[in-house]
Amino acid sequence: MTQLNFSENLRILGLTFDHKLSWKTHIKKLKTSCMGRMNIIKTLSNLSWGSDQNSLILIYKSLILSLMNYGSVIYGTAKATTLSSLDPIHNQGIRLATGSFKTSPVASILCNAGEPPLQIIRDSNTIKYMIKISNQPKHISFSNFHQNFPYTKAKTPTTIFENFNRIKKNINLNIDLTKKSLFPIQAPWTWSPDINTDLLK
């Protein structure tokens, strides 16, 4: 009889789930992968022969930011202190792409590059994902929109739906995904509106 070995971590589709769902292991591996690719940005940001700012930002988004965006809807339920460990990577990538000084404030660097902080990017990804599955009745999570989740006083959300409710509360987003929008059956370009032309006479 073969005995199964106990493992505290499980990797599924590029996401590392730990037994406490703290996402610390996943974010630690994510940081290592991102920092390895950061050397490409450092090389291409050479002042004498490097790429221009727009190209460097595009390369950063393709190589590094895409890694942090992948699965952010899921691992975004981690504690704020755990998620904040990814902020220096985002800030360094934008700093190298814009050629800013190390002493430059982070807010000014992001503003100059036209890029939002990582937390806003994660929240935006969560909102887009929730709106997407709310319009797909056959989605496995669609039924959760009609369930009343118990109120919890925990500061860290444990599910994507709790995280979405937190985002709505923080930005005062008034949106009800349980209601369906009704669209006219007849195409708008086939309408024959009654237009008053008395003023043209």
Side-chain angles (χ1 to χ4, degrees):
M1 183 176 180
T2 304
Q3 183 178 1
L4 298 178
N5 296 326
F6 174 77
S7 178
E8 294 185 351
N9 302 316
L10 178 63
R11 187 175 178 85
I12 302 177
L13 296 177
L15 296 176
T16 304
F17 294 78
D18 57 88
H19 67 290
K20 293 184 178 180
L21 288 180
S22 64
W23 299 104
K24 291 182 179 180
T25 304
H26 174 75
I27 292 179
K28 183 178 180 180
K29 293 182 178 180
L30 181 59
K31 288 174 59 179
T32 303
S33 300
C34 291
M35 291 307 298
R37 298 187 178 191
M38 190 68 70
N39 295 327
I40 300 177
I41 307 296
K42 291 180 180 179
T43 303
L44 295 178
S45 61
N46 189 283
L47 296 178
S48 59
W49 54 266
S51 302
D52 59 283
Q53 175 176 321
N54 293 333
S55 298
L56 287 174
I57 292 178
L58 183 61
I59 294 173
Y60 163 74
K61 289 181 178 180
S62 302
L63 294 180
I64 300 177
L65 186 59
S66 60
L67 286 181
M68 293 188 287
N69 279 338
Y70 179 76
S72 63
V73 176
I74 301 177
Y75 75 77
T77 58
K79 292 183 178 180
T81 53
T82 304
L83 294 172
S84 62
S85 62
L86 295 175
D87 292 341
I89 299 176
H90 181 60
N91 300 337
Q92 182 181 2
I94 298 299
R95 189 186 302 274
L96 291 173
T98 56
S100 303
F101 295 107
K102 293 183 178 180
T103 55
S104 301
V106 174
S108 63
I109 295 174
L110 296 179
C111 181
N112 180 38
E115 294 297 322
L118 269 184
Q119 184 60 51
I120 294 180
I121 296 177
R122 285 192 294 264
D123 292 347
S124 176
N125 292 337
T126 301
I127 293 174
K128 292 177 182 178
Y129 174 76
M130 297 299 284
I131 293 176
K132 178 181 178 180
I133 66 176
S134 67
N135 293 297
Q136 298 179 3
K138 295 184 179 180
H139 196 279
I140 190 173
S141 300
F142 179 79
S143 59
N144 291 329
F145 284 103
H146 304 279
Q147 295 182 7
N148 294 323
F149 290 92
Y151 174 76
T152 175
K153 294 183 179 180
K155 295 182 179 180
T156 304
T158 57
T159 66
I160 300 176
F161 291 89
E162 291 179 5
N163 191 31
F164 178 63
N165 291 331
R166 175 193 62 81
I167 296 172
K168 289 199 301 180
K169 183 178 180 181
N170 290 343
I171 65 176
N172 195 21
L173 178 63
N174 186 14
I175 180 173
D176 187 2
L177 299 182
T178 61
K179 295 182 179 179
K180 292 296 181 180
S181 300
L182 299 178
F183 296 94
I185 300 177
Q186 188 179 8
W189 52 85
T190 61
W191 295 351
S192 298
D194 185 13
I195 302 176
N196 190 344
T197 59
D198 292 341
L199 295 177
L200 299 178
K201 297 179 181 179

